[in-house]
Amino acid sequence: MEELLQVNGLRKTFQLTAKQQKLEKTKEKVKVAVDGLSFTAYKGEVFGLLGPNGAGKTTTLRMLATLIKPDAGDAILDGASIVSQPEQVRSKIGFLTSELKLEDFFTPNYQFDFFSRLYGVDPDTIEKRKKVLFERFGIDRFAEVKVGNLSTGMKQKVSLVISLVHDPDVVIFDEPTNGLDVLTAKVVTDFLLDLKSQGKTIIVSTHIFSLIEKICDRVGIVIAGKMVTCDTLENICAGKPLEDRFFEIYEEKVGKIDE
Amino acid sequence: MNNVMTIIKKELSRFFGDRRLVFTTVLMPGLMIYLMYSLLGQRMVQEMSTAEDYVTKAYVVNLPKEIREGTAESPVEWKDWDGNPDDVDRVFHELEEGEIDLVVCFPENFMTDAAAYEIGSGAAPQVEIYYNSAKSNSYTSYDSLRDYLDRFEESMVNKYDVNVGEETGSLGTYDQAPKNGAVGKMLAGLLPMLIMTFIFSGVQGVAPESIAGEKERGTMATLLVTPVKRGALAFGKVISLSIIALMSGISSFLGTILSMPKMMGDQVDFDMSAYGYSNYALLFFVIISTVLVLVSVISIISAMANSVKEATTMMAPFMIIVMITSLLPMIGVKFGGAFASLIPLFNSVKVMGGIFEFKTDVTAAFMTIGVNLAVTCLLVGVLTKMFSSEKVMFSK
């Protein structure tokens, strides 16, 4: 299989303010968010990062999307380094996270055109792609409604569509179904499977076991910034439900949950 | 370059798509200034013409014939009063109520005693003028009469004359200032400060929203995840904000210029076309370069802030610096030489002052434009670095 993303020893630390130290009940001035994380994603597969809140999944994806820089390590995405070639990396990926918002003032139609132009998509392709994606997500009926007036689910769909304006080969989604109603979550999950069938490489982070089981080929379990296991879903589960295996691994590495 | 244009178009679409924002940022400042200054000017002219036409009503005791004749042209309605102590309460009540404006008491034989008086030979004859400063007519009448009596006193001991026949503010025989010179000097003190204030207000209205606001709402991160270069983003923001700020500044400037004739009334004969096309062109380019500097600085301040509110607060010290810089020429601070052209903002105020005073220094103007553009490039570089910094863009 062709390697599309090699992540090598990514490390990220954050300085804690006095307020954050108090909140986290620690005297440490530095928090290690990601600690030497490595994994590989292959072309056409769905790779899932699974872990509890604060494990470092989002930080890892933010580094892969070049929003933040790693303190150490690097990742090569389709031949481009996230450290030295961030613009090339950004042009190859579609990134979706709840942190990224769209201007309430503009309509989905305007936003699609605007972001398409930033990605250098030619005008003919913009129109064709917009038609397909808007119809697929039912945005066409709301194309001229300001984003601020859309429902939360519709906003999420518009954000998802905007992240794919340039038809990227690598799609990185952080908690893609978080906060969505069941119907919208299903639309998103089905779309991810569609992207997979189109041969796109998908990296998702989530703590929802059912989502991982439904769409992922391989899974990396991240705990306290470290990759504790990375393998195919079958190998990790070893015939057990993923949820059970996850807690076994968690207790093996961290200790009893009630401790 | 395509991305810069895309960013500019988006920023302008955001601005022009919001009618309320267009009204408050572009139309309202000019309209408000025009209305405010026009009303103020009309009121001042009205006050002055009222004061000129007003007939002073005064009770007078022992009014000398010479003074009665001397005040015949200035409208004073003298009411002779014998100073009867029984009438004192009534007379002063009328003064208090504004029914009369003055009560003037000359001593008996005033003219003889005044003519005979020699300096240092004891107490001079006293004229008593009672007035009511709470009533504007009474106070104005008091001022006029006092001024007349001072001039009358000078005429009694007339040893020499100075500029006989000259009217105050007239040009020609005695005043050798060039035509428009006096008005130009006044405008040079006033307009650069107003222009800087207008531009600053325009920038202040839009820059925090465009940068700190985008950070606050999370829309900046969406832009940063696209392959657009940070420099293109910074440049696009600065150019679009400059266009908006310039429109706001032009609106305020037009409001000021159009209301100027109403402010000045008939007192000053001045035509703004006296400056000529070349001066206006130079002024335009100096203003544009100044807008770029102001927008760049405010953009940097906005990028440091996490919210629009924080950006507005952080801007206060810079606003004070801009205001003080704008006031320096007005309060007569001279800082000449080529070195002055190297100080951003001060250089603009100085060049603008020179243009309005009809003392255009073309070299200084070009140096100012050059320095301002260089400083803008430097500041856009800083803004680019800030857009690339996760600590700046994602700090909470």
Side-chain angles (χ1 to χ4, degrees):
Chain A
M1 282 207 291
E2 187 188 337
E3 288 182 358
L4 202 76
L5 171 68
Q6 298 99 41
V7 179
N8 303 310
L10 281 187
R11 181 181 164 84
K12 184 69 185 175
T13 57
F14 294 109
Q15 295 286 328
L16 292 180
T17 61
K19 193 178 168 187
Q20 287 167 326
Q21 281 176 295
K22 202 174 172 184
L23 278 172
E24 302 224 352
K25 292 173 185 163
T26 178
K27 288 185 178 176
E28 298 292 328
K29 289 188 174 172
V30 174
K31 181 186 178 176
V32 181
V34 176
D35 193 4
L37 197 119
S38 301
F39 67 91
T40 302
Y42 299 97
K43 190 170 182 179
E45 77 168 3
V46 181
F47 184 91
L49 281 173
L50 179 64
N53 285 344
K57 306 184 298 290
T58 299
T59 305
T60 303
L61 296 192
R62 290 176 83 203
M63 284 191 279
L64 294 180
T66 75
L67 274 179
I68 57 174
K69 287 181 185 140
D71 297 343
D74 198 354
I76 307 298
L77 191 146
D78 198 12
S81 156
I82 61 164
V83 176
S84 57
Q85 297 159 300
E87 278 144 26
Q88 282 187 39
V89 170
R90 286 199 289 270
S91 66
K92 290 171 190 282
I93 63 164
F95 182 53
L96 180 70
T97 167
S98 58
E99 181 190 10
L100 306 183
K101 302 276 196 262
L102 296 172
E103 284 259 23
D104 282 349
F105 181 80
F106 291 118
T107 63
N109 193 27
Y110 183 92
Q111 310 254 18
F112 195 96
D113 292 350
F114 170 66
F115 282 101
S116 296
R117 283 194 292 271
L118 288 185
Y119 278 100
V121 183
D122 67 84
D124 285 347
T125 313
I126 292 174
E127 287 310 314
K128 282 178 196 157
R129 196 156 171 73
K130 184 162 54 182
K131 192 168 185 298
V132 170
L133 288 171
F134 276 21
E135 277 178 8
R136 170 74 202 255
F137 286 94
I139 300 170
D140 43 354
R141 286 174 296 140
F142 304 96
E144 295 303 335
V145 177
K146 285 183 179 177
V147 169
N149 296 332
L150 296 176
S151 65
T152 309
M154 189 53 73
K155 276 183 193 171
Q156 182 76 349
K157 286 179 187 173
V158 175
S159 294
L160 189 144
V161 163
I162 296 294
S163 71
L164 301 170
V165 289
H166 54 308
D167 196 15
D169 287 334
V170 182
V171 177
I172 302 174
F173 284 175
D174 182 21
E175 306 280 8
T177 57
N178 235 18
L180 297 182
D181 65 89
V182 284
L183 292 176
T184 314
K186 183 174 175 4
V187 171
V188 172
T189 310
D190 290 349
F191 184 67
L192 288 174
L193 289 170
D194 251 19
L195 289 175
K196 181 184 172 183
S197 69
Q198 289 168 29
K200 308 284 184 192
T201 305
I202 303 167
I203 318 286
V204 289
S205 84
T206 184
H207 54 260
I208 302 171
F209 298 110
S210 60
L211 182 68
I212 294 272
E213 285 173 325
K214 191 167 184 184
I215 66 169
C216 289
D217 300 302
R218 293 192 317 119
V219 181
I221 295 179
V222 184
I223 296 170
K226 291 190 168 105
M227 183 70 83
V228 293
T229 301
C230 182
D231 208 334
T232 60
L233 190 61
E234 289 78 21
N235 288 347
I236 286 179
C237 290
K240 291 182 182 175
L242 177 63
E243 189 171 350
D244 294 350
R245 278 298 294 143
F246 174 79
F247 289 120
E248 280 176 20
I249 293 167
Y250 187 88
E251 289 184 350
E252 202 178 289
K253 301 289 177 187
V254 182
K256 283 277 184 191
I257 290 169
D258 58 358
E259 285 171 1
Chain B
M1 198 59 199
N2 278 345
N3 282 341
V4 174
M5 287 307 294
T6 306
I7 299 287
I8 292 173
K9 277 185 197 165
K10 177 241 174 188
E11 291 293 327
L12 294 180
S13 300
R14 171 74 184 85
F15 179 76
F16 286 109
D18 190 337
R19 284 182 203 161
R20 199 171 46 182
L21 200 60
V22 173
F23 180 75
T24 53
T25 312
V26 178
L27 298 177
M28 204 174 74
L31 201 64
M32 288 305 291
I33 287 167
Y34 177 75
L35 289 176
M36 203 172 68
Y37 284 9
S38 298
L39 288 174
L40 198 71
Q42 271 178 353
R43 180 80 188 134
M44 277 162 61
V45 170
Q46 205 176 14
E47 285 271 318
M48 282 162 77
S49 59
T50 306
E52 277 171 14
D53 299 341
Y54 184 71
V55 180
T56 300
K57 293 183 279 294
Y59 279 116
V60 64
V61 181
N62 299 324
L63 179 66
K65 187 182 70 174
E66 291 82 352
I67 293 177
R68 188 186 294 273
E69 285 166 1
T71 55
E73 283 183 18
S74 55
V76 183
E77 184 188 323
W78 296 112
K79 294 181 178 182
D80 287 308
W81 178 40
D82 58 7
N84 185 347
D86 294 342
D87 293 336
V88 169
D89 285 348
R90 180 185 56 81
V91 166
F92 279 87
H93 179 73
E94 282 182 33
L95 180 64
E96 197 181 318
E97 291 300 312
E99 291 165 19
I100 56 157
D101 304 308
L102 303 172
V103 178
V104 187
C105 301
F106 289 91
E108 275 184 71
N109 307 317
F110 170 72
M111 289 304 297
T112 321
D113 292 352
Y117 178 72
E118 281 180 23
I119 297 166
S121 64
Q126 285 285 328
V127 181
E128 292 175 340
I129 308 172
Y130 297 92
Y131 64 102
N132 180 355
S133 63
K135 304 280 180 191
S136 58
N137 284 337
S138 176
Y139 188 73
T140 314
S141 300
Y142 165 71
D143 248 8
S144 303
L145 182 64
R146 199 184 162 123
D147 185 48
Y148 170 77
L149 289 175
D150 283 343
R151 279 187 279 122
F152 185 76
E153 184 193 25
E154 283 174 19
S155 70
M156 288 178 79
V157 290
N158 189 219
K159 303 280 185 188
Y160 58 83
D161 293 319
V162 178
N163 287 358
V164 174
E166 184 187 37
E167 283 177 32
T168 312
S170 71
L171 289 176
T173 317
Y174 300 108
D175 187 353
Q176 294 299 297
K179 189 175 184 301
N180 297 329
V183 181
K185 194 171 171 58
M186 184 198 81
L187 294 179
L190 188 69
L191 287 184
M193 186 202 67
L194 289 178
I195 289 171
M196 293 294 275
T197 310
F198 298 150
I199 295 171
F200 190 90
S201 307
V203 181
Q204 197 181 27
V206 287
E209 183 59 34
S210 171
I211 296 177
E214 286 227 38
K215 271 177 77 179
E216 191 178 4
R217 294 190 297 271
T219 52
M220 185 64 92
T222 316
L223 279 175
L224 294 174
V225 89
T226 66
V228 64
K229 286 182 189 297
R230 300 325 191 215
L233 185 58
F235 197 54
K237 289 263 181 195
V238 167
I239 295 293
S240 50
L241 290 174
S242 298
I243 292 170
I244 297 166
L246 195 65
M247 286 194 302
S248 175
I250 288 173
S251 157
S252 305
F253 185 71
L254 283 178
T256 310
I257 294 299
L258 293 176
S259 60
M260 206 62 93
K262 293 190 177 175
M263 273 284 273
M264 294 175 173
D266 302 329
Q267 306 297 311
V268 181
D269 175 26
F270 185 73
D271 184 0
M272 290 303 283
S273 66
Y275 288 114
Y277 292 118
S278 57
N279 272 331
Y280 276 119
L282 208 54
L283 185 67
F284 183 68
F285 287 113
V286 170
I287 288 175
I288 285 184
S289 71
T290 313
V291 168
L292 287 168
V293 173
L294 284 172
V295 167
S296 305
V297 175
I298 292 179
S299 296
I300 287 172
I301 294 171
S302 299
M304 283 192 286
N306 286 322
S307 65
V308 175
K309 194 178 167 189
E310 196 180 317
T312 313
T313 311
M314 286 166 75
M315 238 179 271
F318 181 58
M319 190 180 75
I320 293 168
I321 293 171
V322 173
M323 293 303 116
I324 290 174
T325 309
S326 314
L327 279 171
L328 290 179
M330 202 178 172
I331 58 175
V333 173
K334 300 277 179 198
F335 192 68
F339 187 64
S341 302
L342 300 177
I343 306 170
L345 303 183
F346 183 80
N347 55 9
S348 306
V349 173
K350 193 170 177 286
V351 167
M352 283 192 275
I355 291 172
F356 286 121
E357 209 178 341
F358 297 96
K359 290 178 183 171
T360 307
D361 184 343
V362 178
T363 314
F366 280 110
M367 268 183 80
T368 296
I369 294 168
V371 166
N372 285 352
L373 291 180
V375 169
T376 302
C377 288
L378 196 73
L379 294 173
V380 169
V382 173
L383 191 62
T384 304
K385 288 272 179 201
M386 292 175 83
F387 281 163
S388 308
S389 164
E390 63 187 68
K391 278 186 185 157
V392 175
M393 298 319 290
F394 300 108
S395 65
K396 293 281 179 196

